[in-house]
Amino acid sequence: MTTLFVRHLTTYRYRRPVAFGEHRMMFRPRDSFDQRLIDASLRIAPAPRSLRWVHDAFGNAVAFAGFEAEADTLEFENRIAVEHFPDPVEFRIEDYALTYPFAYAADEQPDLAPFMTRQCRDPAGELERWARRFLRQGQATPTGRLLMTLTTAIGESFVYKRRSEAGTQDPLATLHLGRGTCRDFALFMMEAVRSLGFAARFVSGYLYVPTRDGPRHLGGGSTHAWCQVYVPGAGWVEFDPTNGIIGNRDLIRVAVARTPAQAVPLSGTFHGSRADDLGMTVDVRVTSGAGPGDD
């Protein structure tokens, strides 16, 4: 068990004081057997007029802030501490799903169906052809090996390139360009395994970068994204194609969703002209053993 501390600071700056519309936040991690939230605080400046919490359709904790004051800076500082239990994936898969292809159990199919449905265009079947390259021709393919190979292949075949623009790249663009961000790779893997009949969902959260333990992970210093695939007997298993991580090692899960757009960490509006917007900065620090500093 490791205690991980996160300080996530987002700052919006404007040329003049502006009014703010409602802002939606997904900062609070999900409690589970492999991570336990032990402390959380949220500071917003200027202070919001109202702050309310809900659980969305996926059970994620979502906060909505409403504002009255105008300001030339809007700042969100989220601090959390979680007890993290790295869960080595042993792929204890049900006998019927040990090899691919297989069909999910009849009683699970209605619940998994939304996560099996492909969300992105692939008119010529390019993504499916890419994914099928990793199947054993003419014979069954071990399910665990297939998913691990796909994860590794994405990290090795594509170049990680940080991108500040909002949104997620279409998987076909990732395939053609040969590059993308962590969220692009997560969506690419989701659509690839969905083309093979797996249920997959998007995960937003944080990445612990243990520099003392070896090469740096990609995607540190900001929020991170990966995916989960439903494996009978093992359940929802984490796959981070950006770093080749399988299982929850170094990953702090905040939100899960059917599409990346449903798991955006922070979104909102302001009332003013486009020229008033001076941009946004994000600083994420994840440490173990002691909380991040205030500098």
Side-chain angles (χ1 to χ4, degrees):
M1 185 271 290
T2 303
T3 302
L4 297 178
F5 299 85
V6 179
R7 177 179 182 253
H8 178 180
L9 178 65
T10 304
T11 306
Y12 297 91
R13 292 184 173 83
Y14 302 91
R15 195 175 304 277
R16 61 180 180 85
V18 297
F20 304 107
E22 185 175 70
H23 279 63
R24 179 181 186 271
M25 293 153 281
M26 300 182 79
F27 292 148
R28 188 180 181 90
R30 296 171 67 97
D31 274 306
S32 185
F33 63 89
D34 58 355
Q35 67 175 34
R36 185 169 72 90
L37 180 64
I38 56 178
D39 190 35
S41 65
L42 176 62
R43 180 184 64 84
I44 305 174
R49 169 182 49 82
S50 63
L51 182 66
R52 62 187 179 92
W53 290 85
V54 302
H55 284 108
D56 68 6
F58 307 104
N60 302 310
V62 185
F64 294 89
F67 297 88
E68 284 183 344
E70 295 186 355
D72 59 7
T73 301
L74 178 60
E75 192 169 80
F76 298 83
E77 183 183 36
N78 180 54
R79 289 177 179 259
I80 60 171
V82 296
E83 289 182 342
H84 192 262
F85 302 85
D87 185 28
V89 175
E90 299 177 8
F91 280 113
R92 295 184 179 180
I93 302 174
E94 297 285 356
D95 288 344
Y96 73 86
L98 281 172
T99 59
Y100 177 89
F102 67 89
Y104 288 119
D107 63 336
E108 291 184 321
Q109 287 185 16
D111 302 305
L112 295 174
F115 302 100
M116 298 170 66
T117 303
R118 298 181 65 179
Q119 303 294 316
C120 303
R121 62 186 184 86
D122 185 18
E126 295 178 79
L127 292 178
E128 184 173 355
R129 283 199 301 275
W130 186 90
R132 289 192 170 275
R133 293 166 46 200
F134 304 98
L135 301 179
R136 291 182 175 179
Q137 298 303 314
Q139 57 181 313
T141 304
T143 300
R145 183 182 298 272
L146 171 61
L147 294 171
M148 289 189 287
T149 301
L150 276 167
T151 305
T152 302
I154 293 171
E156 293 179 348
S157 302
F158 301 101
V159 176
Y160 174 83
K161 186 174 180 60
R162 188 183 293 271
R163 191 178 68 251
S164 59
E165 295 86 353
T168 306
Q169 191 167 268
D170 184 275
L172 282 180
T174 301
L175 182 62
H176 296 158
L177 293 171
R179 65 175 184 270
T181 66
C182 59
R183 61 187 186 271
D184 301 329
F185 295 159
L187 180 58
F188 182 90
M189 181 164 179
M190 288 166 58
E191 290 295 286
V193 299
R194 282 171 175 170
S195 76
L196 299 178
F198 288 95
R201 62 188 187 183
F202 186 85
V203 189
S204 176
Y206 301 105
L207 173 69
Y208 171 53
V209 183
T211 53
R212 65 183 182 277
D213 298 327
R216 289 179 58 87
H217 289 327
L218 298 173
S222 184
T223 54
H224 191 51
W226 60 97
C227 70
Q228 293 178 334
V229 180
Y230 190 80
V231 181
W236 288 107
V237 180
E238 320 275 343
F239 292 91
D240 177 5
T242 303
N243 295 294
I245 297 173
I246 299 168
N248 73 333
R249 176 175 53 87
D250 299 332
L251 301 173
I252 301 174
R253 187 185 318 109
V254 172
V256 300
R258 182 173 47 85
T259 69
Q262 296 168 315
V264 175
L266 176 61
S267 61
T269 59
F270 74 94
H271 303 289
S273 69
R274 183 174 299 180
D276 293 329
D277 184 6
L278 296 180
M280 173 188 71
T281 59
V282 178
D283 180 37
V284 173
R285 303 186 188 185
V286 185
T287 60
S288 65
D294 296 318
D295 56 320

